[in-house]
Amino acid sequence: MMRTRPLKVALLGCGVVGSEVARIMTTHADDLTARIGAPVELAGVAVRRPSKVREGIDPALVTTDATALLKRGDIDIAIEVIGGIEPARTLITTAFEHGISVVSANKALLAQDGAALHAAAEQHGLDLYYEAAVAGAIPLVRPMRESLAGDKINRVMGIVNGTTNFILDKMDSTGAGYQEALDEATALGYAEADPTADVEGYDAAAKAAILAGIAFHTRVRLDDVYREGMTEVSAADFASAKRMGCTIKLLAILERAADGESVTARVHPAMIPLTHPLASVREAYNAVFVEAEAAGRLMFYGPGAGGSPTASAVLGDLVAVCRNKLAEVTGPGESAYTQLPVSPMGDVVTRYHISLDVADKPGVLAQVATTFAEHGVSIDTVRQQGRPDGVGNEASLVVVTHRAPDAALSGTVEALRKLDTVRGVASIMRVEGE
Ligand code: NDP
Ligand code: HSE
């Protein structure tokens, strides 16, 4: 039976994502009504700059007082697409206190305060949905929370930031400079309000924390995720990667330890073979591999950023929350029953590509090899060449290791830096996906 009284939606934020949410709600109103079983009405739009012209939005709906909008008594669902910690956190809490379920795209907030927000939603018998917070349009949060709820996820590896993938792809495929590629990604609406969050890996780390929590049924906070950004990745790194048949991607990698007693979560640039499916993920696309005990390997792929793709995920959540409301149920809440500790980065075992500037004289290679051996790091290949910048009496030494703990590699690099013959460590990059 179709309900005629509309479900009323407060849209908190009407920027890159919010404006697309409003557009789709308006243009697809009839389909949404049919799918939900009741009309949904955009009942108010909270923004910071009320005088800004917003195409397709009735100016009478616009307010700068988001709190008053939530408190006025007729709102059923709030969509939070403001971003950042405050005022988003207070507004979501206010929504729950006033019986309003929430859909949010805010990974920064969920990674920092997800536990408290889930608890507040549960306390008030309401929904908190956030498909858009991870990997844009790709259905990933719900498949992991619901479709894989009967399986055991052991590993997740993926590209979860569209901006940095766009930049790395441009640097690799067109030789574009870092700033030029970042400006293009920002203009296309992929980057965060402060793009430092993208390029320094904070955005990917927030998504990694959310995914790790869901995958391993434990609590992983932003601070638990090891993080390195991609601002140091250079044209020389891409040239080195190419020589190895690899490219460079900013990866999020979440792993359950072999004994099942702990997990690791990390975000950093890594070389991956060109034959690996993640190597062909171009522009602002995202892709995530999920390895589950019974299902095996699953890959989720699609647009990872941008207004319209992200709005698709928000609207999917809106439909789900509306259906729950009509059925007088709530969807699944937080599942954190395993309480697994997050191990430090030093425990992670992987391979490394290290580029050193060394004195070009007899015995240097032996000295370097001994340093690796002393720290228990086994060398796979070594390549020596004259410095490309033509610096006399110096050579560039590229060492690729077998798998070793990150702590052992850090110890090796520290010792290498102390050798007179090592003039500098040009780059250290992990090698994944082999
Ligand atoms: P924008 O910066 O484009 O939009 C933010 C909106 O919030 C603007 O409409 C702004 O108002 C409004 N706003 C800011 N402060 C306040 C306030 N105090 N009260 C009311 N409204 C306020 O951000 P995006 O749309 O890009 O991102 C929104 C969220 O979605 C973030 O959490 C982001 O991480 C997430 N996200 C973004 C994706 C993307 O590709 N852009 C993809 C996936 C998630 P005004 O318009 O007046 O400035
Ligand atoms: N800034 C984010 C990105 C938006 O580039 O991936 C999508 O979450």
Side-chain angles (χ1 to χ4, degrees):
M1 256 251 298
M2 185 72 71
R3 177 177 118 147
T4 50
R5 191 167 63 78
L7 290 159
K8 295 203 174 184
V9 176
L11 183 61
L12 311 180
C14 191
V16 172
V17 178
S19 58
E20 282 299 302
V21 170
R23 182 185 65 77
I24 298 171
M25 277 184 73
T26 309
T27 54
H28 294 189
D30 290 345
D31 286 328
L32 292 172
T33 301
R35 291 171 198 172
I36 291 165
V40 267
E41 179 187 317
L42 189 55
V45 181
V47 297
R48 190 175 30 189
R49 295 167 295 164
S51 53
K52 190 180 165 202
V53 177
R54 297 172 202 272
E55 205 186 319
I57 305 269
D58 177 357
L61 296 180
V62 175
T63 174
T64 53
D65 195 343
T67 309
L69 173 60
L70 295 171
K71 286 184 176 176
R72 75 184 196 193
D74 63 338
I75 302 297
D76 297 292
I77 293 145
I79 297 176
E80 184 276 305
V81 278
I82 292 175
I85 305 303
E86 287 294 353
R89 174 171 51 197
T90 304
L91 290 173
I92 292 176
T93 309
T94 303
F96 291 145
E97 286 165 359
H98 289 78
I100 299 168
S101 283
V102 174
V103 172
S104 174
N106 193 335
K107 54 266 169 152
L109 178 58
L110 284 154
Q112 184 174 306
D113 283 324
L117 295 176
H118 276 293
E122 196 174 332
Q123 183 197 337
H124 294 281
L126 296 163
D127 275 329
L128 171 60
Y129 274 49
Y130 48 91
E131 182 64 69
V134 186
I138 307 174
L140 180 63
V141 169
R142 204 155 330 137
M144 282 176 65
R145 285 177 92 184
E146 299 182 29
S147 315
L148 290 168
D151 206 336
K152 183 177 184 189
I153 296 174
N154 287 322
R155 191 165 192 267
V156 178
M157 173 163 111
I159 295 166
V160 294
N161 182 271
T163 303
T164 49
N165 200 57
F166 185 89
I167 297 170
L168 291 170
D169 180 38
K170 292 282 171 207
M171 287 172 78
D172 190 18
S173 58
T174 70
Y178 163 78
Q179 193 58 47
E180 181 193 343
L182 172 58
D183 290 347
E184 202 179 336
T186 305
L188 289 165
Y190 303 147
E192 294 302 304
D194 175 3
T196 313
D198 295 294
V199 298
E200 293 297 352
Y202 290 101
D203 177 81
K207 292 164 178 167
I210 295 168
L211 288 182
I214 298 170
F216 306 129
H217 299 270
T218 191
R219 263 184 204 146
V220 179
R221 288 168 52 96
L222 182 58
D223 291 347
D224 297 322
V225 181
Y226 174 83
R227 177 201 53 79
E228 274 176 35
M230 47 68 68
T231 52
E232 305 285 309
V233 177
S234 63
D237 291 325
F238 274 110
S240 259
K242 226 161 243 168
R243 270 194 291 271
M244 284 178 58
C246 289
T247 187
I248 299 169
K249 296 290 184 188
L250 186 78
L251 297 182
I253 303 174
L254 320 167
E255 290 168 310
R256 190 192 290 277
D259 64 6
E261 297 297 317
S262 62
V263 298
T264 54
R266 54 190 163 118
V267 165
H268 53 71
M271 290 185 182
I272 51 166
L274 291 169
T275 50
H276 193 282
L278 289 180
S280 53
V281 177
R282 309 285 308 272
E283 304 212 316
Y285 278 75
N286 285 186
V288 179
F289 273 105
V290 178
E291 293 178 25
E293 212 164 80
R297 286 179 142 202
L298 306 166
M299 183 167 169
F300 298 84
Y301 172 81
S308 170
T310 308
S312 164
V314 170
L315 265 293
D317 278 355
L318 176 65
V319 170
V321 172
C322 287
R323 286 173 176 162
N324 288 347
K325 192 159 179 66
L326 293 181
E328 297 180 356
V329 296
T330 52
E334 187 192 33
S335 170
Y337 69 95
T338 63
Q339 297 183 22
L340 293 172
V342 183
S343 299
M345 185 61 188
D347 289 0
V348 166
V349 176
T350 189
R351 298 179 68 209
Y352 305 87
H353 173 285
I354 301 112
S355 181
L356 305 168
D357 295 331
V358 297
D360 195 4
K361 61 182 191 185
V364 173
L365 191 55
Q367 229 180 3
V368 167
T370 304
T371 307
F372 274 87
E374 280 170 357
H375 291 82
V377 180
S378 168
I379 292 175
D380 181 18
T381 60
V382 180
R383 182 166 41 82
Q384 182 171 341
Q385 62 190 36
R387 283 272 300 269
D389 51 11
V391 174
N393 302 324
E394 279 196 18
S396 178
L397 202 60
V398 174
V399 179
V400 180
T401 73
H402 288 295
R403 282 166 62 78
D406 217 79
L409 195 277
S410 300
T412 310
V413 171
E414 208 175 302
L416 287 170
R417 286 189 205 276
K418 288 183 186 146
L419 296 179
D420 288 345
T421 48
V422 173
R423 305 280 152 80
V425 180
S427 89
I428 307 165
M429 200 161 297
R430 297 173 184 89
V431 183
E432 299 287 343
E434 292 181 307

